[in-house]
Amino acid sequence: MSDRMELDPTDDGRNGPVETVLPIADWLPRYDRSWLPADVLAGITVAAAVLPEGMAYASLAGLPPETGLYAGLLALVVYVFVGTSRQVIYGPTSALAVLVATGVGSVAVGGSPTEYATLIGATTVLVGVISVIAWLFRLGFVVNFISESVLTGFSAGAALYITATQLDKLVGISGASGTFFERVGFVVTHLGATNLPTLGIGLGALVLLALGERYAKRVPTALIVVLLATGLVAVTDLQRRGVTVVGRIPSGLPPISLPTPPTGMLPDLVPVAFALFLLSYVEGMGAVETFARRHDQRVDADQELLADGLTNIAAGLGHGFVVGGSMSRSALNDEIGGETQLVSGVSAVVLALVLVFFTDLFTTLPETVLAAVVIVAVAGLVDVPELRRIYRLDTLELVTAASAFLGVLIFGMLAGVFIGVFVSLLVVVGRATYPNTATLGRVPGSDEFGDLSRHPENERVPGVLVYRVDAELFFANAPTIRAEVIDAVNDRETPVSLVVFDMRSSPTIDLTAADMLASLAEDLDERGIDFRLAEADGAVRDVLTAADAAGPFDDMPLNERVVTVIEEWKEER
């Protein structure tokens, strides 16, 4: 077993109450000093990525650039103590930033910049509170109800929408707003107002960033581009030629205070906070699970709820905005070779030093460069191979991905989140209501029965219908199954005298389904058709008995094999 595996923060060695809430109490005492150089190098490299991206994502959220650094710093500090993943880096992300802007922006219409920032801070704290409450109730499983197809579609739509929000900054015009199509349409119809120096710097930054992303992933290309562009504007007259810069960034560590929104506005922020919570947690867990699989680690979904909650509470109190697990920065950390959560601590120290001593370096940073940083960063959200795989494999999955994709483009990010969640739940309900079923035939030369639709060479037993449901039996699918059995009986070319319900793939049953089976047995009996169960588990038999629904099956051994049930039936006749 490798040293990295021995530091798994979710292993069985961490079973005390303190270690459960604060994983650092488990891994820090076992920290091997030989890992320190790798952690320091990874931490500095990650900080070099957080600096330009944090400022860029603050711009996405409609906030001053320092707020992105505040959010990144505080998220990193908190995750060192409560995070379970050694690879995942928490901080601002592009999707969360734009969802903050669209969600809170709809509430803060007509308000001042100060009020807008206060609302964002309050929303961020709310996100954290929702996440902590979810942790208290152990709701980490909720992430399982959002399918990968929905996330793939949502991410692709988010990438295009976020790109559209940056086009006006890239070409040096202003005034774009609304949905993806409205923003693109505005830029296209106002291309005559393009500021050529701004466009030149932006396109140059795009080229350099794209080359760095492709050929030098370990090099902090974004930070280098930011510093080069800042220096260029500082020694030229490009500002006077219309190139917009970020301006002075206040020095010092983030001020800590509780954001207090205007009276009566807090309820309006709750649905926005809930959408941000879902996106933040899903993003974070996506990164955690990705690297857990890569390094054969266990995942503690509930502990990550606490980590998500506390990082967001800290970011909100520190005048930042909503944070989550960053896949790109986590991948960078993993590629550099970071060993533990100490990487986040080292990155936090670097950010703190920049905030205290070096903010003046970024005064002449062109906004078009931040737009380029965002556009290149979100390009990775479009997973073309996965979209192709979905297209090839499953029409339903393609529909769910497309609904999330179009939801973001047509209605915006906030609506896109809820559309994605709704479609995911709809798919779950649909699959539960209409489970996979099969009519079975006897495998030639054996006593086994298999799906006739997949193996037409299987033999039908004359006068017998063998039916199987590949799912649990409960209230949602009971009516569907009952109707399907009746239809299967009616559709047989030869009269059916026996229906055998193979229960091998249905290990549980509820009251509604038990009553359905009893009712089905009675209806078939009125038509002169016997109805019997085969291979029913003890749990199923217990429910049938407890529900007083076992009447039609009282004299039958319900756990026998299908072939045995058929042979005994023939003997009885």
Side-chain angles (χ1 to χ4, degrees), residues 67-278:
T67 59
L69 303 183
Y70 294 163
L73 169 63
L74 294 168
L76 288 167
V77 170
V78 172
Y79 196 78
V80 172
F81 292 91
V82 297
T84 64
S85 173
R86 295 190 302 275
Q87 291 80 32
V88 169
I89 301 297
Y90 256 70
T93 71
S94 55
L96 289 170
V98 76
L99 184 54
V100 163
T102 56
V104 178
S106 64
V107 178
V109 175
S112 67
T114 301
E115 181 181 291
Y116 176 68
T118 300
L119 290 175
I120 287 179
T123 303
T124 304
V125 173
L126 271 177
V127 170
V129 170
I130 292 171
S131 193
V132 171
I133 291 173
W135 167 73
L136 289 172
F137 286 95
R138 296 294 186 262
L139 300 180
F141 64 88
V142 297
V143 70
N144 299 325
F145 287 90
I146 302 179
S147 71
E148 289 294 329
S149 298
V150 166
L151 290 178
T152 301
F154 175 82
S155 296
L160 293 182
Y161 180 84
I162 292 168
T163 299
T165 67
Q166 299 304 294
L167 290 178
D168 54 346
K169 294 178 183 177
L170 189 70
V171 302
I173 61 178
S174 60
S177 62
T179 66
F180 168 81
F181 299 104
E182 291 169 339
R183 289 177 180 274
V184 172
F186 180 88
V187 172
V188 169
T189 56
H190 290 78
L191 283 177
T194 298
N195 181 275
L196 293 180
T198 298
L199 178 61
I201 294 173
L203 291 179
L206 273 177
V207 171
L208 291 175
L209 289 166
L211 290 174
E213 182 73 17
R214 184 174 179 85
Y215 299 109
K217 290 188 175 182
R218 292 191 171 204
V219 176
T221 308
L223 182 60
I224 293 172
V225 170
V226 163
L227 293 175
L228 287 175
T230 301
L232 176 65
V233 174
V235 300
T236 63
D237 64 346
L238 290 175
Q239 241 183 295
R240 284 186 298 219
R241 297 181 61 185
V243 176
T244 305
V245 298
V246 300
R248 180 180 175 276
I249 299 176
S251 62
L253 297 177
I256 304 298
S257 62
L258 180 64
T260 307
T263 304
M265 298 190 75
L266 192 60
D268 296 330
L269 298 176
V270 172
V272 179
F274 185 73
L276 284 162
F277 155 70
L278 287 175

Side-chain angles (χ1 to χ4, degrees), residues 472-528:
E472 300 175 353
L473 304 185
F474 69 117
F475 66 90
N477 59 25
T480 304
I481 292 168
R482 187 185 194 284
E484 190 168 295
V485 171
I486 296 297
D487 289 341
V489 170
N490 293 335
D491 291 342
R492 286 289 288 266
E493 295 178 358
T494 57
V496 174
S497 301
L498 170 67
V499 174
V500 181
F501 199 123
D502 183 353
M503 300 289 290
R504 280 178 299 173
S505 301
S506 303
T508 61
I509 187 172
D510 73 353
L511 175 62
T512 302
D515 290 340
M516 179 273 293
L517 291 178
S519 172
L520 180 60
E522 293 172 358
D523 289 351
L524 291 174
D525 182 64
E526 292 177 0
R527 299 172 58 175

Side-chain angles (χ1 to χ4, degrees), residues 316-337:
L317 295 177
H319 294 234
F321 53 94
V322 183
V323 295
S326 167
M327 182 64 77
S328 61
R329 295 192 290 275
S330 302
L332 177 62
N333 174 31
D334 190 51
E335 187 174 349
I336 296 298

Side-chain angles (χ1 to χ4, degrees), residues 429-455:
V429 172
R431 292 192 188 281
T433 305
Y434 300 98
N436 182 63
T437 61
T439 301
L440 310 182
R442 190 167 185 171
V443 178
S446 77
D447 290 337
E448 297 298 323
F449 282 73
D451 188 348
L452 282 167
S453 64
R454 290 180 176 273
H455 302 282

